[in-house]
Amino acid sequence: MQDPHGDRRILRLTQAEEKRLIARIEAVTSYADLQRVADLMQAQLGISLEIAPSANEVRTVRGISIRLVAKPGLCRKIQASIPAAVRRCLDSRPGIAYAILDAHDLLGGGQ
């Protein structure tokens, strides 16, 4: 708030908008749709969502790293609720998890 050149887009996220965002993330049906939601979050709120397989072996959805890039104004609740919503989405639609692994060439899709 003190920085006149600071990014204030995150302040637009009200409690009602946060609930809509979480519902939208949980309703994602494909990897392309998940990327589109992440791009919209970046464009409209300045929130960067990173989804990638962890450095260790990926046996379950828990092996996929989901995190928000830390930035001023982003509360801890949001930092926990958005990745949790993505994880619930991946739990209910395993095809998206496979697409994430394939996008990072862990299933040999690039050959």
Side-chain angles (χ1 to χ4, degrees), residues 32-53:
D33 195 21
L34 181 61
Q35 287 179 318
R36 189 171 25 260
V37 169
D39 290 342
L40 285 172
M41 286 174 29
Q42 172 64 37
Q44 295 176 358
L45 300 171
I47 299 175
S48 295
L49 180 65
E50 294 179 351
I51 303 172

Side-chain angles (χ1 to χ4, degrees), residues 94-106:
I96 299 172
Y98 294 132
I100 291 169
L101 295 175
D102 196 31
H104 289 83
D105 206 26
L106 294 180

Side-chain angles (χ1 to χ4, degrees), residues 13-92:
L13 190 63
T14 63
Q15 187 175 14
E17 291 296 321
E18 176 190 345
K19 288 180 183 179
R20 284 185 55 216
L21 175 62
I22 297 300
R24 174 66 177 103
I25 291 171
E26 290 176 351
V28 165
T29 58
S30 68
Y31 181 54
D33 195 21
L34 181 61
Q35 287 179 318
R36 189 171 25 260
V37 169
D39 290 342
L40 285 172
M41 286 174 29
Q42 172 64 37
Q44 295 176 358
L45 300 171
I47 299 175
S48 295
L49 180 65
E50 294 179 351
I51 303 172
S54 67
N56 299 325
E57 186 174 329
V58 176
R59 292 184 181 188
T60 65
V61 174
R62 303 285 179 230
I64 295 176
S65 172
I66 304 166
R67 71 180 197 94
L68 295 178
V69 175
K71 77 179 275 177
L74 192 60
C75 73
R76 283 180 272 149
K77 182 183 173 203
I78 296 290
Q79 289 179 346
S81 64
I82 291 176
V86 172
R87 199 165 305 283
R88 285 190 299 271
C89 173
L90 296 178
D91 281 337
S92 65

